[in-house]
Amino acid sequence: MKGSKIRTAFILGAGLGKRLRPLTLDCPKPLLPVGGRPLITFAMDHCLTAGVERFIMNTHHCAEAYDSGFPERSWRGWPILFRHEPVLLDTAGALKNIEDLLADDERLLVCNGDILSDLPLQRLLAAHETGGREVTLVLRSDGPLRNVCLDAKGEICDFRDILGNPGVRRCLFTGIYAVEKRFLRRLTPGKVESVVPVFAEMIREAPGSVASVVIDEGQWLDIGDPEAYARIRAAGPALRYEDGCAAPEESAFIRGTLGLSVDEKIALIPVGKGGSDRDFFRVAAAAGRPPVILMRYGRMYEENDGYAAVASFLRGIGVTVPEICSHDPERRLILMEDLGDTDLYALRGAPWEVRCDLYEKTLALAAKLHAFSPDRLPTGLRLMPGFDANLYRWERDYFREHCVRNVCRIDLAGGDDEALEAELSALAGRLLSTPPALVHRDLQSQNVMIRGGAPVLIDFQGMRPGSPFYDLGSLLCDPYITFREEERLFLLRHYHEISGSHYDGEAFRELFLLASAQRLMQALGAYGFLGLRRGKPHFLAHIHPALENLVSVTAEVGRLPRLYALACRCRTALGT
């Protein structure tokens, strides 16, 4: 079956929709209206991005409603086959019930008809093709019901705790999977049965036999109750299906901004600066046109709404950031200049003379930002709330939960935790005593692009009032970059001179070390959260250098003995 295309999607539409009653008393849940069309059509559009050419749907409750919903038995020109179930067969029974509709070697895409999702299905197809298993499931790191267990190799080892094997990580099963027809031989005709115990039995017989791919990109929404349905129906779905080309509304936005004709094809090439509910694409259009980047952003993080406005403000005060070509706040699209692919991180192996010049220029931009008083902000420019005691507390709690407890497996005793909290609260108080300035908040090497030998700041939407020493800690104690101590000290002194700070050298160094400890706690919490909860294990590799930096700065400052001891304990627990 290598290279075989998936031509058929089986969409489950026979459920009773009990959680949405009374809305589903006289209507199948997949046919409830969303955005002026049946809910199930969004799942069908999603499947079309995988290249399917026909749909099979099972029916049971109010089956006649499907006849009126799809009188031509097609969607967007592709045929729909309905298979009625007089007795509701559940997921495995439903699959067995359509076996006769499939070719002998057919491969099938299966999904639920009552889910809104735009996760990239090409990731599933690639994983299934290379894995060679009978079935490959799409999982997500987070969700309302994480009952799929993965072992240390990332393979499924249990479902719903049927096998008593908790593994090392739990994920949500999206209900989306690719399956070979030979899997259906395991099923019994007419048997009311879920696929879950079948999958569990496969694993019992042959560990690793049920493949999976964790896809956290895109959206996955379970319309589980009338309130959730009302919210989605009022707001409308904000799905963006990935097929390598611009969606119609994106195409119109790009063409209008760049003055492209309708005959010029637009393709979107993903670039690797996504995150925080944002996706970035290089726009491939006609040859000879200057490159641009399309940013899509969602509703998960409020700060994304201010990206364009903050960029305009920063350019106005002389801080170099990407030029915004156009912004459509309703569709949540931004078109901006393309800065290329080189950042400070990419140049980490360059000679010190080259890196030193770039860091000096970056510190000059930071000093310009820090010199602008928050009291002088333009009317109407909305920033995120400034650093205060609550935000500093959130960062240290983030560190203790996702790094200390979840990664290092260290549970602090009550007295130790209270003493540590008192020490860290005093740390926050010291930072809050510094005059507030505008800070980038994530000024690290991957957020400083290099264009024409000069730095350009990105990922600035989280800018807010705070201590400028937090930015210095982000840049000069960056876990992604290794500095020699004399290099770090040289750059710190350089900033001290150009910023005109009123602190003497010793007080300035101490505040830098304290802020670095605070920032490193936040970074370590993020690495643990992203690595374990978001299914991005590459972030876990940064915990070792971040812990080394935390041990170093807490040892040097001498005022954080409990944090120093904890950092050393974490380092020992991880064998680093």
Side-chain angles (χ1 to χ4, degrees):
M1 287 295 292
K2 287 290 184 181
S4 176
K5 177 182 178 182
I6 293 185
R7 301 183 181 278
T8 301
F10 179 42
I11 304 181
L12 297 162
L16 299 175
K18 291 181 179 179
R19 292 182 298 167
L20 259 70
R21 288 179 178 173
L23 299 174
T24 54
L25 288 175
D26 300 312
C27 178
K29 180 180 176 182
L31 293 185
L32 289 174
V34 173
R37 52 191 261 204
L39 171 60
I40 197 172
T41 60
F42 293 97
M44 298 165 78
D45 280 348
H46 194 202
C47 292
L48 288 175
T49 68
V52 305
E53 298 175 356
R54 69 165 181 164
F55 302 97
I56 301 176
M57 296 181 194
N58 64 331
T59 67
H60 173 74
H61 174 60
C62 299
E64 66 281 359
Y66 283 95
D67 293 326
S68 57
F70 299 95
E72 297 179 358
R73 301 209 166 201
S74 66
W75 176 250
R76 301 196 188 282
W78 300 108
I80 303 172
L81 301 177
F82 293 104
R83 177 56 58 90
H84 183 60
E85 296 175 12
V87 175
L88 192 60
L89 294 173
D90 210 334
T91 49
L95 272 170
K96 187 67 174 179
N97 197 42
I98 65 165
E99 186 173 21
D100 63 301
L101 301 177
L102 306 176
D104 289 340
D105 60 347
E106 188 154 5
R107 181 177 289 173
L108 197 63
L109 175 63
V110 182
C111 64
N112 293 321
D114 57 358
I115 294 296
L116 287 171
S117 180
D118 58 5
L119 60 83
L121 289 174
Q122 294 300 326
R123 292 267 310 277
L124 166 64
L125 304 188
H128 188 68
E129 178 72 16
T130 58
R133 319 283 177 82
E134 291 181 23
V135 60
T136 304
L137 315 184
V138 176
L139 309 180
R140 288 175 80 84
S141 299
D142 284 328
L145 192 62
R146 294 185 299 119
N147 57 15
V148 180
C149 301
L150 303 185
D151 62 19
K153 295 186 293 184
E155 295 181 340
I156 298 177
C157 59
D158 205 352
F159 288 87
R160 299 179 185 171
D161 301 315
I162 293 173
L163 304 178
N165 187 352
V168 299
R169 177 182 172 199
R170 300 180 75 90
C171 290
L172 173 140
F173 175 34
T174 63
I176 302 172
Y177 53 103
V179 60
E180 303 291 337
K181 186 182 179 181
R182 65 179 185 273
F183 168 81
L184 275 60
R185 300 171 192 160
R186 300 176 178 272
L187 310 178
T188 303
K191 183 178 181 180
V192 178
E193 184 180 29
S194 165
V195 292
V196 169
V198 180
F199 293 157
E201 186 58 31
M202 290 174 65
I203 294 169
R204 188 196 308 274
E205 295 173 357
S209 58
V210 177
S212 68
V213 56
V214 177
I215 304 179
D216 289 327
E217 295 85 352
Q219 300 184 73
W220 183 89
L221 302 173
D222 177 18
I223 305 178
D225 54 55
E227 291 74 24
Y229 172 67
R231 288 194 302 270
I232 291 173
R233 188 176 183 185
L239 302 176
R240 298 180 173 97
Y241 303 116
E242 299 288 2
D243 61 1
C245 297
E249 68 275 10
E250 295 164 349
S251 176
F253 173 67
I254 295 169
R255 292 180 194 281
T257 301
L258 302 182
L260 301 177
S261 71
V262 294
D263 297 325
E264 293 181 81
K265 183 179 179 180
I266 297 173
L268 306 183
I269 304 168
V271 293
K273 289 291 181 182
S276 301
D277 202 23
R278 288 170 293 132
D279 296 301
F280 293 86
F281 300 85
R282 182 165 284 122
V283 178
R289 294 186 179 273
V292 290
I293 295 292
L294 175 71
M295 181 180 107
R296 304 168 174 167
Y297 62 97
R299 295 180 171 85
M300 186 179 299
Y301 298 98
E302 180 185 352
E303 62 192 36
N304 289 333
D305 293 329
Y307 191 99
V310 172
S312 177
F313 163 74
L314 290 174
R315 290 179 67 86
I317 66 171
V319 176
T320 312
V321 298
E323 180 181 0
I324 303 299
C325 305
S326 186
H327 179 208
D328 186 336
E330 182 178 346
R331 293 186 174 89
R332 313 178 85 79
L333 301 171
I334 294 176
L335 208 62
M336 68 184 80
E337 68 172 314
D338 188 347
L339 300 173
D341 299 310
T342 302
D343 54 22
L344 278 178
Y345 176 75
L347 297 173
R348 63 194 181 280
W352 170 241
E353 293 75 16
V354 174
R355 293 193 296 129
C356 181
D357 176 65
L358 294 174
Y359 272 94
E360 287 181 335
K361 292 175 179 177
T362 302
L363 288 169
L365 291 180
K368 189 172 293 187
L369 172 63
H370 298 159
F372 192 95
S373 172
D375 296 334
R376 296 170 50 214
L377 285 170
T379 303
L381 180 63
R382 294 179 54 196
L383 300 184
M384 298 302 294
F387 275 94
D388 59 12
N390 289 331
L391 181 52
Y392 283 129
R393 183 184 304 110
W394 179 89
E395 288 190 342
R396 60 185 183 258
D397 288 345
Y398 194 50
F399 162 66
R400 283 184 286 200
E401 178 181 356
H402 294 292
C403 178
V404 176
R405 184 176 302 116
N406 293 347
V407 174
C408 302
R409 303 295 182 183
I410 294 174
D411 289 315
L412 296 175
D416 291 340
D417 199 31
E418 291 174 5
L420 176 65
E421 175 61 23
E423 180 176 285
L424 298 182
S425 178
L427 162 61
R430 185 73 179 93
L431 296 180
L432 288 170
S433 72
T434 63
L438 292 181
V439 298
H440 183 286
R441 202 202 173 184
D442 196 18
L443 189 62
Q444 42 89 359
S445 57
Q446 295 185 7
N447 286 334
V448 182
M449 304 300 296
I450 304 301
R451 180 188 59 185
V456 184
L457 306 187
I458 63 170
D459 212 20
F460 43 74
Q461 69 282 352
M463 184 181 77
R464 67 194 67 205
S467 173
F469 293 97
Y470 192 95
D471 276 353
L472 294 180
S474 300
L475 188 66
L476 302 184
C477 280
D478 179 0
Y480 299 143
I481 300 294
T482 300
F483 288 103
R484 295 199 302 269
E485 186 55 37
E486 61 267 26
E487 294 171 347
R488 180 181 287 114
L489 185 58
F490 175 86
L491 292 173
L492 186 63
R493 288 172 175 166
H494 175 75
Y495 178 88
H496 185 228
E497 292 173 3
I498 66 174
S499 67
S501 173
H502 68 276
Y503 292 104
D504 63 32
E506 185 59 28
F508 190 90
R509 183 189 69 87
E510 181 181 74
L511 285 166
F512 163 71
L513 293 171
L514 291 172
S516 297
Q518 179 72 37
R519 163 64 181 183
L520 286 165
M521 285 191 290
Q522 186 278 333
L524 283 161
Y527 298 153
F529 175 76
L530 294 169
L532 296 180
R533 296 287 302 278
R534 292 293 188 185
K536 300 177 180 180
H538 60 279
F539 278 103
L540 298 176
H542 302 305
I543 288 180
H544 167 64
L547 280 174
E548 290 294 340
N549 285 354
L550 185 58
V551 168
S552 176
V553 299
T554 51
E556 186 176 351
V557 75
R559 295 181 55 172
L560 301 169
R562 291 178 176 83
L563 181 57
Y564 168 74
L566 179 59
C568 291
R569 188 177 171 189
C570 287
R571 184 175 62 177
T572 300
L574 297 180
T576 58

